[in-house]
Amino acid sequence: MLKLNVFVGSAVILSAPVVCADEVEAQQSFSGFTGLYNTPNAVVLDKGEVSFGYNNKLFDLSKSYVDGHNFIVSAGLFDGLEVSGMIASNTMHDNFFRVGFGKQVRDLSFNAKYQIPYIPEDWFDFAIGVKDIGGDVNLYETYYAVASKELWNFRFSAGVAKSDRPYGIMDGVFGGVEYQVFDWFSLQAEHDVEAFNAGAKVTIPKKWLYDIGELTFTSRFYSNTDYSEEDTYWGVNFSMPLSSEDKQNYKKVEAAPYVAPVSTQSIAKIDDHGLGFIQTAMAPELAEQPKALTVVNVKQAPTQNTQKLATSSLNSQVIELKEALINDGFENVVVGYNLNTVFVNFENSVFNRNDIDAIGVVLGRIAESVTNESTHFNVQLSKTDIPLIAIQGKVDNYRLFIEKGVSPDLNVQQGKASIPEGVVWAGKAEASPYFKPRLTLSPATSTTYATDLGVLDYSLGLRAELDVPLWQGGGIKVTGQTIIDESSDFEDNGVFNNYSLDEGIVDAMLHQTFALPFGFYNQTQIGFFKSYFDYKAIINETAWVSPEGRHIVSAKVAYFDYADYRASREYETLTYQYNWVERDITLHATAGSYFYGDSGYQLESRFWFGDSYIAVFYENTDAQKAGVAINIPLTPRKDMKVTPFGQLKGRDNWRIGLSTQIGERNVLVFNQAYAPSSQITLDKTMYKRGRLTSSYIYSNLARMKEAYESYK
């Protein structure tokens, strides 16, 4: 009788007049996909939105709904595609070896839903989806197609599903209706083939939570199913955009062709001391030559051109520009000019999440400081005196880009800038990057999910990474960590004790990087490495990046010698990376033999949203595994400046993921396809995971403009 009264009350409310809600909100269902309770609608999460949810409505091995635990993470990978993962469990910590198998459920499942494009917006939305993909035991496997139509403040959904679940749940024709009563309150009613369900959702809007995200509370307060031990179930969900710097938040800007100034002077030559195969940043070398012209000695220069430069207003402008760049926190700053071009060399140590912000600030400073008409700029971004990116353009045109949004005429190239003779330098290189320690703090984790021993077992620690640049392309890096907390299974004598985090110094490496001709880089690391045992290690990586930066091929070879035993380990891998910058997707394929003797390949797609990404990956070595991972920055967009005593910052990329074995019984597989290395790699330091390339810069010009406007 109580259920009937609740249902009648809901029906009365549903018949009330339409009020003040602008659109029908889409929320996470109890089943993991966007929808109502047990049924989906045809709506998907927006691209770049992530959602974290929990509810207590579990369908378990007793073939009925019980009070349990469902943990759900979902994300919009690109327009129209939503993926999610769900852990379902009766209890949090029960050991199935003790309570007996077959009495409880602890299941990890993956779901996907795709909204079919090209259907006119005023018709309806249509989506297809699957729940519980892959694996040996698929407790919730369901395939469905659903259509939804919004009218006034209602969304009506109807579809058909195929499932082997008992009692016909989601196995046939289903439907539902959602009514957005207020912006913060909605009612839902559905028929999941087996039963009729109804409930309500209350949403705390984003503007009440400092525009971070939305928090939703859900209650299913009515159901006429005969297979439930509870009348009411509840859930909570938090959704937010993964990154505020996502490209879709900026107005698209296209670059215009660049025409370089006419010069009759030859390219300046640098004494390479017999190391011509090594590319070095040209501006510091030129400024440090004894015969180099500077703003101090140019007034005594006898030539007509240098006399013009001495009286030019560029004298004061380049000095002002150099001071501004140093105040911004950039290192190794060199500024010079000739009759028609301003040259800038700099290194970025403050915008560690993405170098494109640093480039935007530097180009903005040039447009701000240099006011002479028809002046060009030539900018070199380097790292420990290794040239990475060269950018040319017209100052007036770039100023119009900042002020009015016109297309900037830029020429972006990988590697070293070309600098003609006749340059007057505003002093020598300042703000040296060398012998200044940089300390990075981040979490360290070793975890297992949804095993027979518990929903989550973990070893959680704090990691400190100390990097000290010493000379061109070289430095030392020392990493230490300490354990903060562990679950009982990771403690001494626990099942996962062997996989607990190591404490103390876990690596100490000397690293050296060279930029070679034709887009090649080489990096070598030598030192101490700890991975359950102590090793003396040498890691060598050679990589090639294409002129536009779309293709990157790298080969890595490593040798590890036990410190206390007469034995060794090694690995050899070959990796190809394609940077699809227009879609903010990077595709990765790696093959080789790995640290623990397994061999095979890995495939991964990374979907970038600003400085974060969601990855979908597949591994095939000793076992087949599939999984998802999320990578986020744990540091502000702009870090503190480097002082003479060093710099304290957070990790600019921190990744955590989960995977499951597919194709057979899902047993635990630890450290498959494991290739140990440090945070100092070519991918992370030389081309920022594919985001320090000419094609990436051309595709993200709007962010460069916004970075200058935000930090000028």
Side-chain angles (χ1 to χ4, degrees):
M1 188 66 180
L2 177 61
K3 288 184 178 181
L4 181 60
N5 290 337
V6 172
F7 172 67
V8 172
S10 301
V12 172
I13 296 176
L14 283 169
S15 64
V18 174
V19 293
C20 74
D22 294 328
E23 60 181 7
V24 185
E25 293 286 344
Q27 306 290 351
Q28 191 181 79
S29 70
F30 282 174
S31 298
F33 39 65
T34 303
L36 290 81
Y37 299 100
N38 295 336
T39 63
N41 54 34
V43 181
V44 295
L45 288 177
D46 292 335
K47 176 185 175 183
E49 184 176 0
V50 291
S51 179
F52 307 91
Y54 169 84
N55 68 78
N56 70 333
K57 187 180 74 64
L58 176 71
F59 191 83
D60 75 348
L61 297 180
S62 67
K63 299 181 180 180
S64 61
Y65 294 105
V66 299
D67 186 4
H69 308 278
N70 290 318
F71 299 91
I72 304 167
V73 179
S74 53
L77 287 190
F78 53 81
D79 291 335
L81 179 64
E82 168 189 305
V83 297
S84 61
M86 185 173 80
I87 296 176
S89 180
N90 293 79
T91 61
M92 292 293 293
H93 303 296
D94 278 356
N95 185 326
F96 283 8
F97 293 96
R98 296 172 182 170
V99 301
F101 288 97
K103 296 182 179 180
Q104 293 188 12
V105 61
R106 188 167 290 145
D107 183 76
L108 172 62
S109 60
F110 292 97
N111 318 308
K113 180 163 67 169
Y114 182 62
Q115 187 182 78
I116 304 300
Y118 309 121
I119 297 176
E121 291 184 4
D122 56 348
W123 287 15
F124 55 85
D125 295 322
F126 183 74
I128 56 175
V130 56
K131 177 176 171 58
D132 202 356
I133 305 170
D136 182 53
V137 179
N138 305 93
L139 299 177
Y140 307 107
E141 187 174 21
T142 305
Y143 300 87
Y144 60 85
V146 59
S148 296
K149 174 68 176 178
E150 290 190 24
L151 292 173
W152 308 290
N153 285 43
F154 294 87
R155 180 188 291 120
F156 301 93
S157 300
V160 60
K162 173 62 179 174
S163 172
D164 292 330
R165 295 170 65 182
Y167 317 126
I169 300 171
M170 285 296 290
D171 189 25
V173 178
F174 62 87
V177 58
E178 303 163 74
Y179 174 34
Q180 193 76 39
V181 185
F182 303 105
D183 287 341
W184 53 272
F185 181 72
S186 62
L187 293 167
Q188 291 87 29
E190 69 175 9
H191 179 63
D192 64 8
V193 183
E194 185 270 327
F196 179 84
N197 309 298
K201 296 186 179 183
V202 175
T203 298
I204 299 177
K206 190 176 180 181
K207 62 183 178 182
W208 292 3
L209 298 174
Y210 303 98
D211 286 328
I212 297 174
E214 287 186 346
L215 184 64
T216 302
F217 299 94
T218 304
S219 174
R220 192 218 70 178
F221 52 66
Y222 172 79
S223 179
N224 65 357
T225 181
D226 295 326
Y227 309 103
S228 179
E229 65 178 28
E230 301 283 346
D231 290 332
T232 301
Y233 293 98
W234 62 272
V236 62
N237 180 74
F238 181 74
S239 60
M240 61 179 289
L242 190 60
S243 174
S244 58
E245 286 80 43
D246 190 352
K247 187 193 295 184
Q248 62 186 347
N249 297 333
Y250 300 98
K251 183 179 179 180
K252 186 176 181 180
V253 177
E254 298 286 351
Y258 170 71
V259 179
V262 177
S263 175
T264 59
Q265 293 179 317
S266 60
I267 300 299
K269 296 182 179 180
I270 300 174
D271 183 4
D272 58 20
H273 306 289
L275 301 176
F277 65 94
I278 300 176
Q279 294 187 19
T280 60
M282 294 182 71
E285 293 285 347
L286 284 170
E288 292 170 5
Q289 289 186 91
K291 296 182 181 180
L293 290 176
T294 69
V295 292
V296 176
N297 61 26
V298 69
K299 294 179 180 180
Q300 285 81 40
T303 66
Q304 182 179 359
N305 285 342
T306 53
Q307 288 175 351
K308 291 180 180 179
L309 290 174
T311 59
S312 170
S313 60
L314 277 175
N315 256 331
S316 59
Q317 291 175 11
V318 296
I319 294 175
E320 177 186 341
L321 172 60
K322 184 175 182 179
E323 291 176 351
L325 296 178
I326 293 174
N327 289 334
D328 285 327
F330 298 118
E331 296 182 295
N332 222 359
V333 177
V334 180
V335 180
Y337 67 100
N338 63 14
L339 289 174
N340 51 25
T341 305
V342 172
F343 297 88
V344 174
N345 178 88
F346 77 101
E347 297 192 15
N348 170 39
S349 57
V350 285
F351 293 96
N352 292 303
R353 282 167 48 168
N354 198 328
D355 284 305
I356 201 168
D357 291 336
I359 295 171
V361 171
V362 170
L363 297 189
R365 291 293 186 203
I366 294 174
E368 169 191 315
S369 301
V370 179
T371 58
N372 286 25
E373 294 184 1
S374 303
T375 302
H376 295 244
F377 61 79
N378 193 341
V379 174
Q380 174 83 76
L381 169 62
S382 306
K383 185 173 180 64
T384 57
D385 282 326
I386 294 179
L388 301 177
I389 286 287
I391 305 173
Q392 296 174 291
K394 299 177 183 177
V395 177
D396 291 341
N397 174 261
Y398 198 84
R399 187 182 300 111
L400 288 175
F401 168 56
I402 293 176
E403 295 175 351
K404 300 182 180 181
V406 301
S407 296
D409 49 356
L410 296 177
N411 178 36
V412 184
Q413 296 180 340
Q414 304 290 138
K416 183 166 54 178
S418 297
I419 303 177
E421 292 182 343
V423 177
V424 175
W425 299 102
K428 296 185 178 182
E430 294 188 35
S432 170
Y434 301 117
F435 299 99
K436 296 177 182 177
R438 294 103 198 286
L439 182 63
T440 302
L441 301 179
S442 65
T445 59
S446 178
T447 56
T448 62
Y449 302 89
T451 70
D452 297 330
L453 304 174
V455 171
L456 172 64
D457 282 300
Y458 62 89
S459 178
L460 174 65
L462 176 66
R463 177 172 295 167
E465 298 168 288
L466 182 67
D467 184 35
V468 184
L470 297 178
W471 52 70
Q472 181 187 0
I476 58 172
K477 179 180 173 297
V478 180
T479 302
Q481 63 188 25
T482 184
I483 296 174
I484 296 176
D485 189 33
E486 291 183 320
S487 63
S488 58
D489 287 326
F490 272 90
E491 294 176 348
D492 292 343
N493 300 319
V495 178
F496 302 127
N497 178 50
N498 287 339
Y499 302 101
S500 177
L501 292 174
D502 292 313
E503 288 199 288
I505 302 299
V506 294
D507 69 58
M509 311 289 286
L510 175 68
H511 56 87
Q512 177 65 58
T513 303
F514 294 108
L516 307 176
F518 310 112
F520 283 91
Y521 291 86
N522 181 269
Q523 183 181 88
T524 301
Q525 300 181 58
I526 301 175
F528 161 82
F529 194 95
K530 188 172 185 179
S531 182
Y532 309 123
F533 295 96
D534 294 340
Y535 297 92
K536 291 176 288 184
I538 178 169
I539 304 172
N540 183 267
E541 180 181 11
T542 300
W544 171 82
V545 56
S546 65
E548 292 185 349
R550 291 185 180 274
H551 309 275
I552 299 175
V553 181
S554 63
K556 185 178 287 189
V557 178
Y559 179 81
F560 297 82
D561 184 49
Y562 281 96
D564 301 320
Y565 305 95
R566 291 185 178 179
S568 62
R569 292 184 181 275
E570 59 186 38
Y571 69 81
E572 303 89 21
T573 60
L574 181 65
T575 299
Y576 169 73
Q577 175 179 327
Y578 178 73
N579 301 316
W580 190 3
V581 295
E582 292 80 8
R583 295 290 185 181
D584 280 335
I585 297 173
T586 57
L587 306 173
H588 306 253
T590 300
S593 57
Y594 297 94
F595 187 74
Y596 287 106
D598 56 320
S599 60
Y601 62 92
Q602 301 168 279
L603 303 175
E604 179 168 304
S605 298
R606 296 178 182 174
F607 301 86
W608 285 89
F609 309 98
D611 300 324
S612 304
Y613 69 75
I614 297 172
V616 180
F617 61 87
Y618 170 78
E619 298 175 358
N620 189 344
T621 62
D622 286 346
Q624 297 184 64
K625 294 174 64 178
V628 295
I630 183 171
N631 184 293
I632 58 175
L634 297 180
T635 196
R637 189 175 175 187
K638 184 179 182 182
D639 287 318
M640 65 172 283
K641 300 177 184 178
V642 180
T643 71
F645 304 100
Q647 179 186 40
L648 178 64
K649 57 184 178 178
R651 184 91 160 261
D652 66 329
N653 63 99
W654 184 72
R655 172 167 167 153
I656 188 169
L658 60 108
S659 62
T660 182
Q661 188 172 345
I662 60 176
E664 55 185 81
R665 182 168 176 79
N666 187 16
V667 298
L668 288 177
V669 179
F670 283 98
N671 292 330
Q672 175 173 284
Y674 178 55
S677 66
S678 71
Q679 282 295 305
I680 306 295
T681 67
L682 291 178
D683 183 54
K684 295 173 182 175
T685 59
M686 292 296 108
Y687 26 82
K688 287 288 186 178
R689 298 172 296 281
R691 298 179 304 149
L692 189 54
T693 64
S694 59
S695 59
Y696 181 86
I697 293 173
Y698 283 133
S699 186
N700 288 271
L701 297 175
R703 177 168 173 175
M704 289 167 49
K705 174 176 178 289
E706 182 271 338
Y708 168 69
E709 293 171 338
S710 298
Y711 295 99
K712 63 183 179 181

